[in-house]
Every structure is written in C-alpha cells, then in structure tokens.
Amino acid sequence: MKKFLSQVDDLIPDSLQGLALAHEAIVQLNAEPAFVHRRVHKQDRVALVSGGGSGHEPLHVGYVGAGMLDAACPGQVFTSPTPDQWMAAAHAVNAGHGVLFIVKNYAGDRLNFQMASDMLDDLDHLMVVVDDDVAIEHSPHSTGRRGVAGTLVVEKMVGAAAEAGAELYECKALGDRVNGATASMGVAFTSCIVPESGVATFEIGEQEMELGVGIHGEPGRQRLPLAPAREIVDLLLAPILKDLQLARGREVLLHVNGLGGTPLMELYLLNHLARRRLTDEGLVVARTLVGNHTTSLEMAGASLTLTALDDELKALWDAPVLTPSLRW
Amino acid sequence: MKKFLSQVDDLIPDSLQGLALAHEAIVQLNAEPAFVHRRVHKQDRVALVSGGGSGHEPLHVGYVGAGMLDAACPGQVFTSPTPDQWMAAAHAVNAGHGVLFIVKNYAGDRLNFQMASDMLDDLDHLMVVVDDDVAIEHSPHSTGRRGVAGTLVVEKMVGAAAEAGAELYECKALGDRVNGATASMGVAFTSCIVPESGVATFEIGEQEMELGVGIHGEPGRQRLPLAPAREIVDLLLAPILKDLQLARGREVLLHVNGLGGTPLMELYLLNHLARRRLTDEGLVVARTLVGNHTTSLEMAGASLTLTALDDELKALWDAPVLTPSLRW
C-alpha cells in the first residue's frame, strides 16, 4: 500500500487539520466529534449539513462555505459518520431556521442519520436523500439507487437557495427536485485501497473496466473489456438519458467527475466527447463542471452526471460560492 | 494502458477542446498552432505567455485568465511546445507593452523557445526561466535545476503584477526574484504512462519511493524504502530549507502539490505535517495552496514548494485570479 501515512489512525484527523489550515479563512474543524463548519456562520437562514464516509474528497468537507454547506461530517474511510457527528454539527450551525441534511442513499448513512434525527427532536430538521446513480436499482450497500457525484449539484443549488433565504420546507422541496432532475453513472479502470485494510477493494484485469461502479468500488452493471473513450461515453450517457427523458432543446448541466486517479487531461477529453454526444441528442449543455469532485481515493475512472436545468436551477448554480474546492 | 482514449493522436486536441468548452467564459483555444488564450484579452499591459509539455495539467493551460497568464502553449505529452506555438501565442496576446515568457528549465523547452525568440525580433519580449527544483543540480533533461511546481507561484505573482500595470522589465525582474525565493522537491510512489508509448516511464518496487523525482518521471536523488509521511516531509523540506536559508520568523507560502494520482486526503495530511515542521523551524506559514496543480499524468506522489514572502509578494499572491484551475 503506497500512501502518505504515518499512523493509519491519524490519517483522517491529521488530514482534516490540514484542510482547516489550508482554508482557515473559510472553514474550521471541530475535532471531537469531527465536523467541518464555516468560520463565519450564516445568520437567520436555514443551515445545510451533509456528510458521509471519508475517501471521497473534496466531497463533502471541501464544499463547506458561503453559498454551499454550513457543515460536513466526515466518517472513517468509506464508513458512515456517527449520529453524534450529525447531531453536534446540526446544533453548531443551526441559526433558528432549522437544518436541512443532505444524505447519500447508503444503508449505513441512512441508519446513522436516522438515529441522529430521532434524538434531534428539539431541532427543526428535514432530510434530502440523494440517489442519482442510475447504474443499478439496488446494491449491497443500499436499498434503491446510490448517491454519487450528483450530490455536489444538490449541495450547490440548495446551498444557494438557503443563502438567499429559502425556508426549510422550500430547501427540502428544491433538494428533492434537483435530485430528481439529476442522473449519474461511472466507470472504473482500477480499484482503490482503503488505508485501514491495506488491500485493493476489488480485482480488475488489465484489459477490463467496471461499468456502473459505485464510489466505494462496489460492483456496477457489467464487467466489460476496455473500450475507446467515445464508446465509454455512450455507455454512460445512454442510461442517464433514458432515466431523465429530456426533450430536445432542453438545457442541461454536464458534470464530468474524476474518481481520483484519472488525469485532468482525460476528464477534459470526456467533456469534449460527452458534449458532442449530447449536442447530437439535441440537448444544450448550458453549464459544465469538470474535475475530481466525488472521488474514490486513488481509483482511476470517471462518472458523468446530467442535471436538467431551468431558469431557477441555472441561477442557483451560477450564484456565488466560496468553499475550499468550489468557488466562483 | 488504462486511459480514456479514442485515438492517441486525438487526445491533446480533443482534451484542449474539452477545456475550452468547460471554461468558455474564461479561455479560448487556438487549434493550429495550439495555444489557449484569454477570451477577453488584456489591454495596454504586458502579456504573459507560458507553456510546456502536456501531461502536467492544470499547468499551464489551466492558469490562463485574469490575474495570471494571457496564453499557454501545450506541447505533446512531456514534450516541448514548438517555436511556432510560442510565436503565434505571443503575437495573439501582445498588447503593445511586450511579452514575458515563463519557461521551465528543460533543454527542449529552452531550445524551442530560443528559436521562437530569435524569430520574434519585431516583438519586445523577455524570458523568465523557472528552476525551483532543489533535488538535483543537473539532469538528463536540463542543464541546471529543473522547473517544477514553483512555476505556478511565478505565474501567479507575475500575473498579478502585469495586471496591475508593471512594465516588461519589472515583470522580468519580479519573475526572477520569485523564482529565486522559491524551492521545491518531490517524491514519487508510482510511475506514469505516456499515452504515445503505452509503457511505464520507469519501474519502481512496491516498497520503494523515488525521492526528488522529476515531473516527467525522470530520476531524482535517491531510491529509498517507503517511509512514514512525516519522515518523507522531513526528507523533502530539508534540502528546500537549506537552499532558501530563511531567518526565523520569516513568512512563507507553502504549496503542497499532488503529482496526479494521490488523493486530496493525503495532500492535506502532508500540509498538516509540513506546517508543523515549518513552525518548529520558526517559520510562519502565511499562505497555503494544496492540490493537484503540477502533475505527471496519473503518478502517485507529491511535492512541497516554499516561497519566501514579503509584503509585496503576499499582495501579489492575494490579488484576484480567475482561471480554470485557480481562482480567488
């Protein structure tokens, strides 16, 4: 296992310290229980709290800041945050208008969040569950579809609405709407190594790819022979387009996400190919985001995410954001 | 070779198209000869042009935009841009105050740039050569030290000065000063695969690391057994600190750079460890940048860069920047 590590147990706390030091104008770390929150808390607004297993950075801790999350709870690598993390983060950032939780649809995340929710009966809160992954209907880790790179889109758009003063029920409805308008699918070329285990999460041959891979390296739809990039783009977009059923002329957001180990050059290549394919379908790519945003440690691979846009969603996407890893 | 690729020959042009599409408000692509330039050109200012082999993205094409470069010339992977690229880019962005070229110290880059320079006698221009890599004094690719991740620091600071109206000779002097105040060193855990060759650039064992590696996978100082992260940080910082000879209390910029295949979590861990070590040395880390900025395709590894700051350099670093991959 070739990683920058001293003690495995120190990796997450030390890494969170490193994040907080690098972005001390934007975020602060609460060490125990662990959550990252804005340095300057929002006043008189709905607060947004997200979280999930570590190893997907910058999701979620890199998206805390003005225009996006108020706090994020990092679990152990690929492991759900604990109820006390969710509760402490919610109490810390609640500004009197309630807390919206954004949770990816995994059994562990749902369960731990539910325990927190049961104990938060003194705090007005609602939850948006993100399940944008169209690769499979159920997985060993989830009942129903999994939440993957579309989570960023939900966090960005709802973050903008909360910043602008939307009430809790409006933020919840918006989050559900963005989730429903969003579909993703990924492909992996290599596995990844969870530091605590020291071994590859799955085996994959030199000429194989895992289509529809999950962000923890869990199986997808199909193990296929490696294919040219333009074929891969077609394989990823077909189920996304089938799911979203977009009319010709519809504006979309295209998010090309790297899983960690794929160079930016290849992600831009995918953007070029996906744009061409979507244009051929009569869609208008009105907004684009390319980069390593929802990762699986050092996994080589990528995912494509589409969100069907309208004027409201475009304005929410365009609204200013200032976080460690997303800013405009 | 597991890469997103259709035809090897299409990779760079298609990837550049993908970059331009993703950031069409900021940059435009000139396809032939290939260079990326600002969508809105600066008026009445010195223009900054950089470039180098592809495969180091986001360097340099991701740093074109307000407050940084006016144009960047991408060569083939790990191969110098050609003289006609340098010349076309310079003519395109020259705004009557001359052009400053920022070139990393590699034999091929220097040679190709020199040919361009000889043919640009109708255009007022100067060059800054970046050679921040303290790992080795000479290399198979360079006479003298190599230019690595410190190039970003030079491009950012000189970009801010040019934006503010500095004249050509002032930009040149500043670039030389920033380069002199900057020192870097890197370490690799894995090799990388140049798409045109399809094979790993070098071999490295499962328990080895290459200390002082170059950004093309060329050899460094020493092949060592894998070590804990805090020891690696000490091994990287010792030659940097020896080179810069900083007095206690001096403010520095710390840039933790990923070589492509190392997760952000580990880069933040390195930031935490490096900050602690520098603080122990009596230095004040006044500015920090963490991320995959000067990469070697999918290589796992990282580099540390220090720049000795003063009030002028801090202000130049803090000045607004709006590029595809650096913005504040």
Side-chain angles (χ1 to χ4, degrees), chain A residues 124-163:
Chain A
D124 202 14
H125 66 278
L126 292 170
M127 170 177 63
V128 170
V129 177
V130 182
D131 63 351
D132 56 313
D133 187 350
V134 298
I136 49 177
E137 272 309 304
H138 297 286
S139 85
H141 295 271
S142 65
T143 301
R145 300 173 3 171
R146 302 168 297 196
V148 290
T151 312
L152 175 149
V153 182
V154 176
E155 293 178 356
K156 170 66 185 81
M157 290 180 175
V158 181
E163 207 80 34

Side-chain angles (χ1 to χ4, degrees), chain B residues 188-237:
Chain B
F189 289 166
T190 68
S191 184
C192 58
I193 297 179
V194 174
E196 287 84 349
S197 83
V199 297
T201 302
F202 64 98
E203 293 299 320
I204 186 163
E206 256 312 297
Q207 299 298 324
E208 290 181 323
M209 61 183 187
E210 181 71 31
L211 186 72
V213 70
I215 55 172
H216 312 95
E218 66 270 34
R221 285 194 166 196
Q222 245 182 319
R223 183 65 60 99
L224 291 174
L226 206 59
R230 58 172 164 262
E231 287 177 31
I232 296 175
V233 165
D234 288 349
L235 287 168
L236 295 177
L237 283 180

Side-chain angles (χ1 to χ4, degrees), chain B residues 144-156:
Chain B
R145 301 177 358 176
R146 302 168 297 196
V148 290
T151 311
L152 176 148
V153 182
V154 175
E155 293 178 357
K156 170 66 185 81

Side-chain angles (χ1 to χ4, degrees), chain A residues 26-47:
Chain A
I26 302 176
V27 298
Q28 272 190 321
L29 172 65
N30 188 80
E32 194 52 53
F35 63 90
V36 172
H37 59 98
R38 296 191 194 185
R39 171 164 287 273
V40 181
H41 287 205
K42 284 211 303 268
Q43 299 297 316
D44 203 27
R45 292 282 186 274
V46 172

Side-chain angles (χ1 to χ4, degrees), chain A residues 1-7 10-12 14-19 21-24 54-55 57-58 77 187 189-190 195 204-209 226-230 232 260-273 275-276 285 288 290 297-298 300-302 324-325 327-328, chain B residues 1-7 10-12 14-19 21-24 54-55 57-58 77 187 189-190 195 204-209 226-230 232 260-273 275-276 285 288 290 297-298 300-302 324-325 327-328:
Chain A
M1 178 176 57
K2 293 187 128 177
K3 289 183 187 288
F4 291 101
L5 264 180
S6 296
Q7 303 286 333
D10 297 342
L11 173 59
I12 291 174
D14 283 3
S15 172
L16 290 171
Q17 293 264 17
L19 168 87
L21 288 168
H23 306 285
E24 54 197 346
S54 291
E57 288 70 27
V77 173
V187 62
F189 289 165
T190 68
I204 185 163
E206 256 312 297
Q207 299 299 326
E208 291 181 321
M209 61 183 188
L226 206 59
R230 57 172 165 262
I232 296 175
T262 287
L264 200 49
M265 178 193 281
E266 294 174 45
L267 300 182
Y268 281 128
L269 172 77
L270 292 177
N271 183 50
H272 170 71
L273 297 172
R275 169 81 75 118
R276 195 159 60 188
V285 178
T288 302
V290 179
L297 297 167
E298 64 281 341
S325 290
R327 47 178 77 183
W328 55 69
Chain B
M1 176 175 59
K2 292 187 130 178
K3 289 182 188 288
F4 291 101
L5 262 181
S6 296
Q7 303 285 333
D10 297 343
L11 173 59
I12 291 174
D14 284 3
S15 172
L16 290 170
Q17 293 264 17
L19 168 88
L21 288 168
H23 306 285
E24 55 197 346
S54 292
E57 289 70 30
V77 174
V187 62
F189 289 166
T190 68
I204 186 163
E206 256 312 297
Q207 299 298 324
E208 290 181 323
M209 61 183 187
L226 206 59
R230 58 172 164 262
I232 296 175
T262 287
L264 200 48
M265 177 193 280
E266 294 174 43
L267 301 182
Y268 281 127
L269 172 77
L270 293 177
N271 183 49
H272 170 73
L273 297 172
R275 169 82 76 116
R276 194 159 62 188
V285 178
T288 302
V290 179
L297 297 167
E298 64 282 340
S325 290
R327 47 179 76 184
W328 54 69

Side-chain angles (χ1 to χ4, degrees), chain B residues 41-42 45 47 49 89-99 122-124:
Chain B
H41 287 204
K42 283 210 306 264
R45 293 281 186 275
V49 176
H91 281 300
V93 299
N94 176 35
H97 287 249
V99 175
D122 55 332
L123 193 156
D124 202 14

